[in-house]
Amino acid sequence: MNRVRVAPLVAAVLVGLLTLCAVADDRVALVIDNRPSAVPGDLDGGAMAPLVSALEDAGFDVDVGLGLDFRELVDAARRLGRRSRDQSLALVYFAGAVAGDTGRVQLLPAGGVPQGGPVLFGGGVLLALLRQNAAAARDRSIVLLDLPPEPALADLPFPESLPDNSVLVAATADAATDGLPPLAALLAADTAAGTIGLASVEVRAVAVGGTGAIEALVRGAATDISLVPEDVAEPFPTPRGKPVLSVATVDPVPPRPRTPDELACDVLRGSTSAASFEEYLRLFPDGHCAALARVRIASLHESPGRHQAGLRPGTDFRDCPVCPEMVVLPAGDFLMGSPASEPGHQADEAPQHAVTIADAFAVGKYEVTNAEFVAFLNAAHPAVDTMARWIDTRRSDPDSAIVDDHGHFSVPEIAARLPVVEVSWEGAAAYADWLAEYTGNAYRLLTEAEWEYAARGYTTGPFSTGAVLRAGDANFDARYSFNGSQRAAFRGTTTPVGRFPANQFGLYDVHGNVWEWVQDCWNAGYTGAPADGSAWQKGDCGKRILRGGSAFNAPQFLRSAFRYWATPDNRTYFIGLRVARTLNHAAGGATNPQDSHDDH
């Protein structure tokens, strides 16, 4: 992606914006000033008052935030999403510091990074969250960033492309004009005044957007924007006095075609015919489901007395109409963690150690969905303060929000099979406890060892799919290559559960979509970890473990061995859950089973 170092580009885009905006009045704007000089609560907009006034004069309904902390930033993004619906245009303006060391641009809260959580979860609000909320507008969305000189724009991981109805412009300058950073100054100025005296200020800018978006943005402007090939060297020439903009694109990679082996796996899952599994092994002796087929054959030939009410390994079942669908996993042994030679290996994934899962147990076939969690909320009738601890229903995307209508909860049909998100560890545990009470069976969160056993499905490499994860295998940020994987487009949102192929155990979305809470307390390594698959309840229990990665993470964070943590009250838009069920114990102690280890 090329960078443009000329102020006229920025002026042309913004002048075109205001010219276009003079046509209609159904538009909203969010203005955030998170610079150190911002004074929270200034009703006049503080130093941004000229910008706010210019936007209001142009017909924008403006929401202003000054000196916002992390939660206030998230709330402002959510409000923008609600306000942008049925509007023709949504504009976001942000002035303040950003970070890009997690592979995504994060807008930092006033006062710096908060304590109590890793940067990935608490350091800042992802730029993508604001962009997605602005994209709720009917026709187009525009995001403008006035940033400090450091880090350099070239070092920030801006998206390589955006939809045709979206535009992103980021700029830095070594000086401000009349107390305003450059983009704010341009917006606040009389559109006929051109660059309003910015000739003495070097403006460095980067712009991204689809061709259609750029054309729509500047339609009617006095100055056009020319598109040039991306391989043109910087600084760009400015032919015939026209500013130049490069538009980078990424061609989406279609889902990987299913192999005959994988199609056969799909047919076999849930089968009770040993002959069918034997035929599969004859055709695919080293196939995707070979290990599972051998377990199912042995299980089907065993005496039924060993299994609870026919719940043999490989069986799918659902305990009630609103309960999650479960899959019975066999007992087994595996190596937990990763060797130092594995690409992406982290110190907290060592030492590798043998773990024995002595008994078959059941695991959610999918991540818990909005519809399943809504059933729990309507049955539990939580108090307002309890509800606030469990889940944040003020979702950024109104079409996927759980709706709280005076204590009765619902979710739009289109979002029913999306994974529930913004659930705290306490809320996840409460959901599992409710399932246990409602069904009389021992539902609970998975232990960390159970989670890795289930995710691996007898595999030993970085992913259950092998050495690499492809865009057709899971929902993640495929713009980043890992271990030689092909780059692809970033979906930028969660997807309905079960959209991608299952792993060898028949479990879906073990890589990506949303992070999943497990029972265990955080320990920065496996020295002293339980070897029997039980939960490790000693360590830093003010931090709980998350597994699996999300739609918003690069592939290295989705490895089977990768571990992360968040505080138990963390409710973030990429955190969800999956449940387990003990098959040989009565219900009770669903989130803290009696065999959990607290003495290691």
Side-chain angles (χ1 to χ4, degrees):
M1 180 171 57
N2 292 308
R3 268 84 188 173
V4 182
R5 293 179 177 270
V6 289
L9 163 66
V10 184
V13 171
L14 300 183
V15 169
L17 167 63
L18 290 181
T19 302
L20 182 63
C21 288
V23 178
D25 59 359
D26 54 341
R27 60 189 66 85
V28 294
L30 170 61
V31 173
I32 299 173
D33 186 359
N34 260 19
R35 297 175 299 165
S37 59
V39 179
D42 189 331
L43 298 180
D44 294 326
M48 292 295 165
L51 170 59
V52 173
S53 178
L55 290 171
E56 289 176 341
D57 289 346
F60 281 86
D61 177 14
V62 185
D63 184 12
V64 182
L66 305 176
L68 302 185
D69 62 20
F70 176 78
R71 176 50 56 185
E72 290 168 336
L73 276 172
V74 173
D75 288 344
R78 292 191 180 109
R79 287 197 306 273
L80 176 68
R82 293 191 292 269
R83 295 168 61 235
S84 297
R85 298 187 70 182
D86 301 322
Q87 302 296 301
S88 66
L89 173 67
L91 179 146
V92 177
Y93 172 85
F94 175 87
V98 298
D101 53 352
T102 63
R104 308 288 303 284
V105 176
Q106 296 190 58
L107 312 180
L108 296 184
V113 176
Q115 299 299 311
V119 171
L120 184 60
F121 297 106
V125 173
L126 291 175
L127 172 61
L129 179 62
L130 281 174
R131 287 198 296 101
Q132 291 160 14
N133 279 281
R138 185 174 64 247
D139 295 335
R140 56 194 156 274
S141 62
I142 298 149
V143 177
L144 308 173
L145 307 175
D146 265 324
L147 307 178
E150 297 296 333
L153 293 178
D155 297 331
L156 289 171
F158 287 110
E160 293 180 331
S161 66
L162 295 176
D164 270 356
N165 65 342
S166 300
V167 172
L168 166 66
V169 178
T172 65
D174 295 328
T177 300
D178 296 330
L180 289 175
L183 297 188
L186 287 166
L187 273 177
D190 180 353
T191 58
T195 59
I196 60 161
L198 281 180
S200 62
V201 179
E202 183 186 9
V203 177
R204 294 167 292 277
V206 55
V208 178
T211 303
I214 299 296
E215 291 173 349
L217 180 65
V218 300
R219 187 180 299 121
T223 307
D224 295 327
I225 287 181
S226 301
L227 301 178
V228 297
E230 187 170 346
D231 58 359
V232 173
E234 290 185 28
F236 294 144
T238 308
R240 296 181 299 280
K242 295 182 179 181
V244 181
L245 175 66
S246 172
V247 177
T249 60
V250 175
D251 294 327
V253 175
R256 176 173 58 85
R258 310 298 305 284
T259 65
D261 169 16
E262 290 170 332
L263 293 172
C265 283
D266 290 343
V267 174
L268 278 178
R269 290 194 174 102
S271 173
T272 58
S273 168
S276 296
F277 286 100
E278 290 164 351
E279 176 65 10
Y280 171 85
L281 286 176
R282 186 185 71 78
L283 294 172
F284 307 104
D286 299 313
H288 190 69
C289 288
L292 178 61
R294 294 185 180 94
V295 169
R296 291 289 285 123
I297 290 169
S299 172
L300 290 167
H301 286 311
E302 285 177 358
S303 166
R306 236 192 109 187
H307 302 287
Q308 185 187 69
L311 294 181
R312 299 171 179 269
T315 303
D316 295 1
F317 69 92
R318 194 192 301 270
D319 278 329
C320 71
V322 297
C323 293
E325 189 171 357
M326 308 295 288
V327 178
V328 179
L329 270 58
D333 304 304
F334 79 109
L335 265 183
M336 187 173 182
S338 70
S341 59
E342 179 174 301
H345 168 81
Q346 302 291 313
D348 57 34
E349 299 164 14
Q352 270 193 299
H353 58 291
V355 173
T356 297
I357 307 293
D359 297 301
F361 66 107
V363 176
K365 187 173 186 177
Y366 310 105
E367 293 160 332
V368 173
T369 65
N370 280 327
E372 290 161 351
F373 206 83
V374 160
F376 154 59
L377 293 176
N378 284 326
H381 299 295
V384 173
D385 58 341
T386 301
M387 172 74 177
R389 294 197 309 272
W390 286 354
I391 184 172
D392 194 334
T393 59
R394 301 169 299 170
R395 291 282 298 281
S396 56
D397 182 354
D399 289 329
S400 64
I402 291 178
V403 179
D404 180 0
D405 184 10
H406 304 289
H408 177 76
F409 301 92
S410 62
V411 66
E413 182 177 354
I414 192 174
R417 284 188 61 78
L418 287 174
V420 65
V421 295
E422 300 195 338
V423 179
S424 67
W425 184 87
E426 181 183 350
Y431 174 75
D433 286 338
W434 170 75
L435 281 175
E437 180 179 359
Y438 185 74
T439 65
N441 295 309
Y443 281 89
R444 53 184 174 79
L445 297 180
L446 282 78
T447 70
E448 186 179 19
E450 288 173 338
W451 190 96
E452 188 168 328
Y453 174 72
R456 287 188 176 280
Y458 299 118
T459 64
T460 58
F463 307 101
S464 65
T465 56
V468 298
L469 196 65
R470 302 169 183 85
D473 294 332
N475 184 17
F476 64 100
D477 192 344
R479 294 173 303 170
Y480 300 94
S481 175
F482 175 72
N483 210 21
S485 63
Q486 183 180 1
R487 297 176 189 269
F490 171 51
R491 296 180 178 91
T493 186
T494 57
T495 50
V497 298
R499 175 167 291 185
F500 297 92
N503 77 348
Q504 291 83 343
F505 278 146
L507 305 177
Y508 291 84
D509 299 312
V510 294
H511 303 299
N513 218 16
V514 296
W515 290 90
E516 301 173 13
W517 289 112
V518 298
Q519 290 184 41
D520 302 45
C521 302
W522 173 253
N523 288 272
Y526 287 133
T527 301
D532 60 357
S534 58
W536 198 358
Q537 299 289 14
K538 186 175 181 180
D540 186 350
C541 293
K543 302 172 183 175
R544 295 289 177 166
I545 295 174
L546 291 155
R547 286 302 207 107
S550 80
F552 305 95
N553 295 119
Q556 60 264 36
F557 300 117
L558 278 66
R559 292 181 302 108
S560 299
F562 187 81
R563 314 170 67 219
Y564 222 81
W565 62 264
T567 53
D569 59 351
N570 194 304
R571 299 164 303 155
T572 305
Y573 62 93
F574 41 75
I575 295 180
L577 72 146
R578 190 187 300 263
V579 293
R581 184 189 140 188
T582 303
L583 298 180
N584 59 349
H585 293 101
T591 57
N592 292 287
Q594 291 181 353
D595 58 355
S596 294
H597 278 239
D598 58 7
D599 56 352
H600 287 270

